Amino acid sequence: MLSEHTEVQVRPGTEGDLASLTELYNHYVRETAITFDTEPFTPEQRLPWLRSHPEDGPHRLLVAHHVRNDRKETDGGILGYATSSAFRPKPAYSTSVEVSVYLSPDAAGRGVGTLLYGALFEALAGEDVHRAYAGIALPNEPSARLHARFGFRHIGTYGEVGRKFGRYWDVAWYEKRLGPADLGPAAKASPEA
């Protein structure tokens, strides 16, 4: 619980966060259909995922945590994290990212997701990223509202695309424009001799 002497700060994720991040993610693996992973991970299994999100560039990992104002020390508790990851492996997709946010169960509904996405999109503003995509397993109204708040628009739904907990789940896909405007015809045409 937040007191008058604590605040929430966002910073890049580090290997020191790996155990807490794995524990947070495993909650969603075990308890929800929000992720389609079906078996919990060890921190060692999640290490390549963490390392695929450096401090700079288009693929980021940001964590939110409590900070005590008096000493600016963290209390060790991660409230959530947001990522931007490669959308697809082929080179032409390099200007698109898939984004996600995961919150500790006690942080939901407290503005932490908004804080994380705000920091993530601010960090991506200087990167060569043109589109962000988010897949939301349905139903998940809080996630749909968060993405709408950040300007995502619904572009389609895959019906019954994943099976978990003995049933099929739909995934809604959302898109957000980032970065500079589309290349116009003049920019795409080759210069005349």
Side-chain angles (χ1 to χ4, degrees):
M1 175 175 270
L2 292 175
S3 75
E4 63 187 59
H5 299 290
T6 63
E7 64 183 70
V8 177
Q9 289 187 346
V10 175
R11 61 169 171 73
T14 68
E15 287 191 24
D17 300 319
L18 185 59
S20 295
L21 291 170
T22 303
E23 181 181 333
L24 191 159
Y25 186 72
N26 281 341
H27 162 78
Y28 288 95
V29 172
R30 287 187 305 270
E31 306 295 328
T32 77
I34 288 174
T35 177
F36 283 0
D37 281 316
T38 58
E39 295 294 327
F41 290 86
T42 65
E44 294 76 22
Q45 290 170 318
R46 290 287 280 175
L47 186 57
W49 164 83
L50 186 136
R51 288 181 174 164
S52 72
H53 296 90
E55 254 188 70
D56 57 6
H59 305 143
R60 306 278 181 116
L61 165 63
L62 299 178
V63 298
H65 59 97
H66 285 133
V67 174
R68 287 181 293 204
N69 289 336
D70 56 349
R71 296 187 201 129
K72 295 292 183 195
E73 296 173 347
T74 67
D75 68 0
I78 289 181
L79 299 171
Y81 67 90
T83 60
S84 58
S85 303
F87 177 66
R88 296 274 192 266
K90 296 181 180 176
Y93 287 117
S94 67
T95 60
S96 295
V97 293
E98 185 172 345
V99 297
S100 62
V101 62
Y102 286 88
L103 302 177
S104 67
D106 62 335
R110 295 173 39 199
V112 177
T114 299
L115 184 67
L116 281 162
Y117 259 4
L120 180 64
F121 292 121
E122 182 179 318
L124 293 177
E127 300 296 335
D128 184 22
V129 179
H130 187 60
R131 292 282 192 270
Y133 295 93
I136 301 173
L138 300 177
N140 189 338
E141 189 58 35
S143 187
R145 282 194 310 269
L146 175 67
H147 287 85
R149 188 175 312 123
F150 278 91
F152 282 80
R153 66 182 181 89
H154 179 251
I155 56 173
T157 299
Y158 292 153
E160 298 184 346
V161 68
R163 185 172 65 189
K164 188 172 180 181
F165 303 135
R167 68 167 275 201
Y168 289 97
W169 300 88
D170 297 346
V171 174
W173 283 93
Y174 289 78
E175 177 184 65
K176 175 181 175 62
R177 183 179 176 157
L178 300 173
D182 290 306
L183 297 174
K188 293 177 187 173
S190 58
E192 294 185 10

